[in-house]
Amino acid sequence: MAKIKKGDLVQVIAGRDKGLQGRVLTVDTARNRVVVEGVQRVKKHTKAGQPGSSASGGIETVEAPIHVSNVALVGPDKKPVRVGYKEVEVERDGRVRKTRVRIGRRGGEEIEL
């Protein structure tokens, strides 16, 4: 199960874009990669008339995937945190069920995300 999900605010903790923050656009769980908005931008040469490119072609700047181990989830205080799970009992439809809740961990403390 991936600890980083689409729409999360993350910070790059390693690589050439270290320190940058952005929202996760896509998650590729098969390759353990994420695409983060404004991070790992590369130039891409496109031909005119190709599917998925601009009509006139040329050089485009796009976000490239980055390995999930090089990003950390940002907590409510805008600092990176490690992610863990905690089982919580929730009453639903008159029954008590266990669900997994994602929590942040920093210095032995649990932070609600």
Side-chain angles (χ1 to χ4, degrees):
M1 179 181 288
K3 294 182 179 184
I4 306 291
K5 298 181 186 314
K6 181 178 176 179
D8 285 344
L9 182 63
V10 295
Q11 180 172 345
V12 180
I13 57 173
R16 73 170 194 209
D17 293 324
K18 183 176 180 177
L20 291 181
Q21 292 185 356
R23 293 251 173 235
V24 175
L25 300 175
T26 59
V27 178
D28 184 1
T29 54
R31 297 187 323 152
N32 291 328
R33 303 241 169 215
V34 294
V35 176
V36 182
E37 182 180 18
V39 175
Q40 192 74 11
R41 297 182 61 88
V42 295
K43 302 280 186 180
K44 182 178 179 182
H45 297 262
T46 58
K47 236 179 180 181
Q50 292 292 319
S53 68
S54 63
S56 62
I59 302 173
E60 297 177 352
T61 305
V62 295
E63 287 95 359
I66 185 170
H67 199 270
V68 74
S69 68
N70 293 333
V71 297
L73 193 69
V74 174
D77 56 352
K78 303 295 181 199
K79 292 183 180 176
V81 295
R82 291 183 175 179
V83 180
Y85 287 96
K86 181 179 181 180
E87 284 195 0
V88 178
E89 291 185 356
V90 179
E91 186 174 341
R92 207 183 296 163
D93 300 331
R95 295 189 288 180
V96 176
R97 298 175 183 226
K98 287 185 179 178
T99 61
R100 292 178 68 187
V101 178
R102 203 167 51 155
I103 59 168
R105 297 176 191 265
R106 184 183 306 120
E109 299 177 8
E110 293 180 355
I111 302 167
E112 291 295 324
L113 297 176

